[in-house]
Amino acid sequence: MKTAKLFLAGMYIHLVLSVAAPIGILYLGWGGAGWGRSNSMLLLVYLLAIGMVQLLGWISVGAAVSAYRRNDMACLLSGWRTLKLGAIPFYILNFLWSVLAWGAIAAASRGIFLLLVPIPIGITWLMVIQSGFTGWLYIRCLRESGEDAAVLHSVCQFLPVLDVLSTLLLLRRRRTP
C-alpha cells in the first residue's frame, strides 16, 4: 500500500522535526535574541508537519477501508507489515526523545508544563490508532475467511506495544502451519 509507506515516511519526518524544532528554537533564541520570526517559522513548519502526518494517517485508513471492501488481503497485509514493523524504530526513538525533551521541559518549568505532556502522547497514540486500522481490517478479513484469529488481536491493534506483539504473533503463526 502506497499510502502506508507515505504515512510511515511522514512519521519519521515528524520524528526528525520533533527533534530539530525544539533544538532550533533554543538555538535561534540563544544569546538574548528572544523569540523572533525564525522561531515562529520553525514552529509553524513543525505544526504543519504534524497536521500533514495526521492527514496521511487518515488517508492510509481510508485506503485500508477501500482494500477491505475489495477483500484485497494482500494489500492489507502489505500495509499492515509496513506500518507495524516499519514503525518499531520510530516508536522507540520517539519514546526516548519524548522522555528526554519533556522531562527537561517539565523540570525547567518546575512542573508547570506537565500539563502539556498529554499533547505529544495523544499525537503518537493517534498514529498507533491510524496504523491499527489496517491491522484490524486484515484480522477481520482473516476471521471472515474462516481462519482462527482471536478478537483480542483486533483490540491489541489499537494499544501501544501490544499492537506490535500481536502483529508479530499473528505473522509468525500464519507463516508456520
Side-chain angles (χ1 to χ4, degrees):
M1 259 180 26
K2 260 187 184 173
T3 56
K5 290 178 182 177
L6 286 173
F7 179 42
L8 184 65
M11 290 168 66
Y12 281 102
I13 290 170
H14 167 264
L15 181 62
V16 168
L17 287 175
S18 72
V19 172
I23 291 172
I25 287 171
L26 284 174
Y27 177 75
L28 292 172
W30 208 260
W35 191 270
R37 185 180 183 140
S38 300
N39 294 63
S40 299
M41 293 304 292
L42 190 55
L43 182 61
L44 180 65
V45 166
Y46 176 59
L47 293 175
L48 287 173
I50 289 172
M52 189 59 103
V53 171
Q54 291 301 313
L55 181 64
L56 280 172
W58 292 116
I59 289 171
S60 178
V61 168
V65 169
S66 176
Y68 173 75
R69 286 184 180 159
R70 292 189 317 267
N71 203 22
D72 188 357
M73 288 181 68
C75 184
L76 284 171
L77 178 62
S78 169
W80 186 39
R81 279 186 181 159
T82 299
L83 289 174
K84 290 301 178 181
L85 302 181
I88 292 172
F90 166 81
Y91 289 118
I92 292 169
L93 294 172
N94 186 52
F95 174 77
L96 293 174
W97 172 249
S98 295
V99 167
L100 176 74
W102 283 98
I105 289 170
S109 71
R110 297 183 186 160
I112 293 172
F113 286 134
L114 276 175
L115 297 171
L116 299 177
V117 170
I119 295 171
I121 291 171
I123 290 170
T124 303
W125 193 54
L126 273 173
M127 291 179 196
V128 171
I129 288 172
Q130 292 163 338
S131 65
F133 271 102
T134 307
W136 174 64
L137 291 170
Y138 179 73
I139 292 168
R140 279 189 68 173
C141 278
L142 283 177
R143 293 176 56 109
E144 289 170 1
S145 69
E147 292 195 35
D148 184 32
V151 174
L152 183 60
H153 286 294
S154 296
V155 173
C156 287
Q157 292 303 306
F158 301 105
L159 302 171
V161 180
L162 294 178
D163 61 341
V164 174
L165 296 175
S166 170
T167 300
L168 291 172
L169 184 66
L170 279 174
L171 289 174
R172 185 166 187 236
R173 195 174 73 193
R174 283 198 34 90
R175 212 177 313 148
T176 57

